[in-house]
Amino acid sequence: MEILPERAATDATSVGLVLRAADGQTVWANPAGRALIADAEVLPFDGIEPGGAAVERQWLRGDGTPGWLEVQCRSLEYDGRTLYLFEARDVTAGHRERERDRNHRWRLTRVEQLARMGTWEWDLVTGAVEWSDPLLTMFGISGDGPLDYPTYRSMLYPDDVALIETTLEKALKDCQPFSYTHRMYLGDMTTLRVFECYGEVFTDDAGKPIRVLGTARDITEMQRVQEELAHLADHDPLTGLPNRRSLLSTLDAVVDGGGAGGMLLMIDVDNFKDINDVHGHAVGDDALRALARVLGPLVPECATLARLGGDEFAVVLPTAGVDDALALADQMCDAAAASLLPIAAKGLRATISVGAAPLEPGQTRDEILARADLALYESKGTGRNRTRLFMPTQYQHAVQRVNILARVRAALENGRLELDAQPIVDLATGAVTSYELLVRLRDGQLPRVGPADFLPPVERGDLIHELDQWVVATAVAALADPAAVRAGLCFYVNISARSLESPEFGRKVVEMVREAGLDPHRLGLEVTETAAITNVDAVRALARDLSDAGCQFSLDDFGAGFGSFAYLKNLPFTTVKIAGDFVKNADRPGADPVLIDAVVRAAHGLGMRTVAEFVERAPLVRALRDLGVDHGQGFYLGKPAPLRELFEKLAAG
């Protein structure tokens, strides 16, 4: 029965009022309370004490969907008995909103943890700064208490405080996004880390800054790797000396300076091939490192000693005269000859030959290098272990190289050039997947000359364009042979830096492939790391022509200078060939496996395959496979053989 006035009974409100007796029977309810009772068989009122604070209770609606009520109870005395009035509000929408907020915060925290970053928010009205839990964890701060700005400022590296505050001040003034990189100590105030921060300023309707939202991530390891790669880009990984790229840059600076004086010394280790052949390449590497330690202290501070590659070194003396340079060169020769290099548990002596050329006004870098190279040839030709100064008569030696050019041109015209094929093997299966084609001069004349003898002089002139086109045309014709088509042969050919300079070269290659009706995927072109670094725009254009046509594009000798890491993301190579200098010791502890792992991760991350060059021992196969290298090439896996022999094997079945 209803025991409250009819006015109250008909009072409609959003708050449900339910009056119950001590036995739980409902004796009265307002309209909202009646709606609750009608919508659920059981209301969650049990256990709610009168006079207490409102509590949230879950309840089940009549349609089976869950909801939430906020319920408060008070007791009433009426007609000699105690009644209990329950006030219930439906807070389902608010509860769900809070649940969504908690879920959003949980997801945000997980995203920050996965991205290894954190967020912070600065309320400019109250001055409060709120840090996300992942960011506090990165800072080495426990979540027990807040991190106020004075404490945070004390953790910053002192030299970086001004940068941060100046950046924030400008951002608040301009209301623009901002970024900065800074160092800071973690919560232990000992560990120093590097953080990269981005932020955005938010304003009110009047344009006044009211809030700053920012992100931070720990880039300590990334910066360390970048610094190491930057160092390796300009330094030889074997000796630690500046590399060819660095030396050429120094020489350019001296030449462009236009000042009078200065000398260039070209240094070559005598009979270095014999050291490698007799003692092994590892001993040869030790010899180069030891010589670098012997020669380095002799070089003046203003000069640059660098390793050009192989067994060649060079010294740029920007202010030295001829007499001083020759005296230094002789001193280097004497020091090298007198030094017993502690190699392979026994002593080894190695001598050097030096060629010197003056840095005269009006000369180009290439002219200076050529003259020093001619003087070096003179030094070796007159007995080694000595120094020679460039003289005009040394051009007679160049005449011999001109004779080599004549032989190559005649061989091109008379069909005396041949291609050898060296297999490239899948390290996981041992199957041959493709071949690299290597040019050989077999004209029957003496002395016999190999690629190392005839390619350098050919590459200095325009004859290299004809040679490269012949190589590509011959490879395409071979691939079009029915036997090659049935066998699915794939060929890679080497392209010189000079051909890269021709904007028509890539289009000519694509035209050859189309006219032959080839699957373009079966032909790949290779360019060396040096060519890629010094001809970035040309390589990009060639890559575009080849990739659009479907041909393969390989970066050869990758890692020789580490300068090409910065270009990998912009040049669409399909294959990266790891330089043999790293491969030959891949099965031994040291830097080489680490560097190979870095190359493999970078290449695979960019969707490129990897090929290890100079695989000349059985243990290297397993080591390279464990490092994730896809393919291998070298004498152990297969020596180069005339291309015609490959087709003879195909014909024989």
Side-chain angles (χ1 to χ4, degrees):
M1 70 181 172
E2 295 186 352
I3 59 175
L4 292 183
E6 182 63 27
R7 183 187 61 81
T10 58
D11 183 20
T13 174
S14 60
V15 178
L17 300 177
V18 179
L19 190 64
R20 285 186 169 183
D23 60 2
Q25 293 296 316
T26 300
V27 297
W28 174 86
N30 73 343
R34 292 169 186 164
L36 289 175
I37 295 172
D39 201 28
E41 294 183 1
V42 179
L43 289 173
F45 292 167
D46 293 343
I48 299 179
E49 298 295 330
V55 296
E56 274 194 10
R57 288 289 182 86
Q58 189 174 20
W59 64 300
L60 196 64
R61 294 189 174 97
D63 61 2
T65 60
W68 287 84
L69 293 176
E70 182 182 78
V71 184
Q72 191 170 20
C73 178
R74 58 191 176 94
S75 61
L76 300 174
E77 295 297 328
Y78 183 81
D79 196 20
R81 59 175 175 165
T82 301
L83 301 176
Y84 300 95
L85 181 64
F86 293 89
E87 299 180 14
R89 292 176 175 83
D90 189 338
V91 294
T92 303
H95 181 85
R96 288 174 177 170
E97 184 65 28
R98 290 192 298 274
E99 281 297 312
R100 281 195 295 268
D101 183 63
R102 282 194 289 268
N103 287 335
H104 290 162
R105 288 180 175 274
W106 179 84
R107 284 196 294 269
L108 178 59
T109 298
R110 291 299 300 160
V111 168
E112 290 182 21
Q113 291 172 340
L114 291 172
R116 297 185 179 180
M117 62 172 290
T119 59
W120 54 272
E121 184 177 354
W122 180 14
D123 188 330
L124 298 174
V125 178
T126 64
V129 180
E130 182 178 348
W131 317 85
S132 69
D133 290 340
L135 186 55
L136 291 175
T137 300
M138 279 192 285
F139 287 170
I141 302 294
S142 66
D144 298 337
L147 172 63
D148 56 26
Y149 183 75
T151 303
Y152 168 72
R153 193 179 189 279
S154 70
M155 297 167 64
L156 298 175
Y157 192 73
D159 292 348
D160 295 346
V161 173
L163 165 68
I164 297 172
E165 295 185 341
T166 300
T167 302
L168 290 174
E169 181 180 349
K170 186 176 186 305
L172 293 175
K173 178 181 177 182
D174 300 337
C175 296
Q176 293 293 324
F178 59 89
S179 65
Y180 53 83
T181 299
H182 70 92
R183 294 160 290 179
M184 71 177 290
Y185 293 100
L186 299 187
D188 60 7
M189 297 305 293
T190 301
T191 306
L192 188 65
R193 306 290 290 182
V194 182
F195 287 86
E196 181 181 63
C197 302
Y198 294 90
E200 186 174 354
V201 178
F202 296 87
T203 63
D204 58 16
D205 294 339
K208 180 181 178 181
I210 58 173
R211 187 163 60 102
V212 180
L213 182 64
T215 65
R217 62 173 181 145
D218 189 331
I219 61 168
T220 307
E221 300 304 326
M222 181 187 301
Q223 187 177 70
R224 183 177 295 125
V225 171
Q226 289 174 343
E227 290 173 353
E228 291 175 356
L229 291 177
H231 177 80
L232 289 170
D234 290 316
H235 288 77
D236 171 46
L238 179 66
T239 63
L241 295 175
N243 59 15
R244 182 183 187 88
R245 173 183 173 181
S246 179
L247 180 111
L248 294 181
S249 177
T250 301
L251 187 57
D252 281 338
V254 175
V255 171
D256 294 342
M263 296 287 294
L264 174 66
L265 303 180
M266 293 281 283
I267 304 169
D268 190 86
V269 182
D270 296 331
N271 302 311
F272 185 71
K273 185 176 184 300
D274 292 341
I275 296 177
N276 279 335
D277 291 344
V278 174
H279 301 284
H281 288 281
V283 172
D285 289 346
D286 288 341
L288 294 175
R289 281 190 285 261
L291 278 173
R293 292 193 294 268
V294 170
L295 302 180
L298 303 177
V299 178
E301 290 186 4
C302 63
T304 300
L305 169 65
R307 183 188 177 206
L308 294 184
D311 61 333
E312 280 194 329
F313 298 82
V315 180
V316 176
L317 300 160
T319 60
V322 172
D323 292 341
D324 290 340
L326 293 179
L328 174 62
D330 288 340
Q331 187 180 4
M332 286 181 162
C333 289
D334 293 341
S339 298
L340 189 63
L341 307 179
I343 296 171
K346 55 186 176 182
L348 177 68
R349 296 185 188 276
T351 61
I352 60 174
S353 297
V354 184
L359 308 182
E360 298 176 353
Q363 286 183 313
T364 65
R365 179 188 74 184
D366 291 341
E367 289 173 339
I368 296 170
L369 290 168
R371 292 186 174 190
D373 196 45
L374 287 172
L376 177 61
Y377 271 89
E378 180 75 12
S379 172
K380 286 185 167 295
T382 54
R384 299 183 174 87
N385 190 26
R386 63 196 64 203
T387 302
R388 286 293 181 268
L389 178 67
F390 168 77
M391 302 294 290
T393 55
Q394 291 166 358
Y395 274 116
Q396 295 175 359
H397 297 284
V399 173
Q400 298 175 1
R401 289 192 282 277
V402 171
N403 179 53
I404 290 179
L405 292 178
R407 287 178 59 179
V408 174
R409 182 173 295 279
L412 270 171
E413 296 173 353
N414 302 325
R416 294 300 183 93
L417 283 177
E418 294 184 6
L419 293 178
D420 281 5
Q422 184 174 24
I424 298 174
V425 175
D426 186 323
L427 294 180
T429 65
V432 176
T433 58
S434 57
Y435 294 85
E436 180 180 357
L437 301 186
L438 308 168
V439 65
R440 298 290 187 261
L441 174 62
R442 297 189 175 108
D443 60 356
Q445 297 186 37
L446 296 177
R448 295 179 180 176
V449 293
D453 300 311
F454 70 79
L455 284 179
V458 168
E459 289 177 347
R460 294 191 185 103
D462 292 337
L463 184 59
I464 189 62
H465 297 300
E466 298 179 41
L467 180 59
D468 281 347
Q469 290 186 35
W470 176 86
V471 170
V472 174
T474 305
V476 169
L479 287 172
D481 187 283
V485 174
R486 288 192 299 271
L489 294 182
C490 297
F491 292 156
Y492 282 87
V493 296
N494 296 282
I495 301 303
S496 70
R498 292 291 306 279
S499 288
L500 290 176
E501 298 170 359
S502 171
E504 299 297 324
F505 181 77
R507 289 188 283 273
K508 289 181 179 178
V509 172
V510 173
E511 184 179 345
M512 291 182 194
V513 171
R514 288 175 177 167
E515 289 181 352
L518 290 183
D519 174 0
H521 187 79
R522 296 172 56 210
L523 177 67
L525 270 62
E526 293 187 4
V527 296
T528 64
E529 176 182 299
T530 303
I533 292 174
T534 56
N535 299 271
V536 176
D537 292 337
V539 173
R540 185 178 291 112
L542 178 60
R544 183 175 57 251
D545 291 339
L546 294 177
S547 60
D548 289 347
C551 295
Q552 304 293 305
F553 193 38
S554 177
L555 179 61
D556 198 7
D557 290 333
F558 184 82
F562 270 80
S564 56
F565 256 108
Y567 303 107
L568 275 184
K569 64 179 181 180
N570 296 318
L571 296 175
F573 295 104
T574 55
T575 306
V576 173
K577 300 187 78 172
I578 304 170
D581 283 345
F582 298 131
V583 173
K584 58 190 177 185
N585 291 319
D587 59 332
R588 298 165 183 164
D592 291 341
V594 176
L595 294 174
I596 292 174
D597 179 69
V599 173
V600 170
R601 289 176 181 270
H604 286 176
L606 295 171
M608 304 174 188
R609 297 183 300 276
T610 52
V611 178
E613 299 183 293
F614 292 92
V615 181
E616 299 181 352
R617 296 182 290 107
L620 289 174
V621 175
R622 179 181 180 84
L624 293 168
R625 187 168 56 236
D626 291 343
L627 288 169
V629 180
D630 302 307
H631 300 84
Q633 177 180 0
F635 277 17
Y636 175 77
L637 299 173
K639 296 182 179 180
L643 183 59
R644 51 183 166 76
E645 293 184 4
L646 175 61
F647 278 87
E648 290 172 359
K649 291 180 180 179
L650 292 177

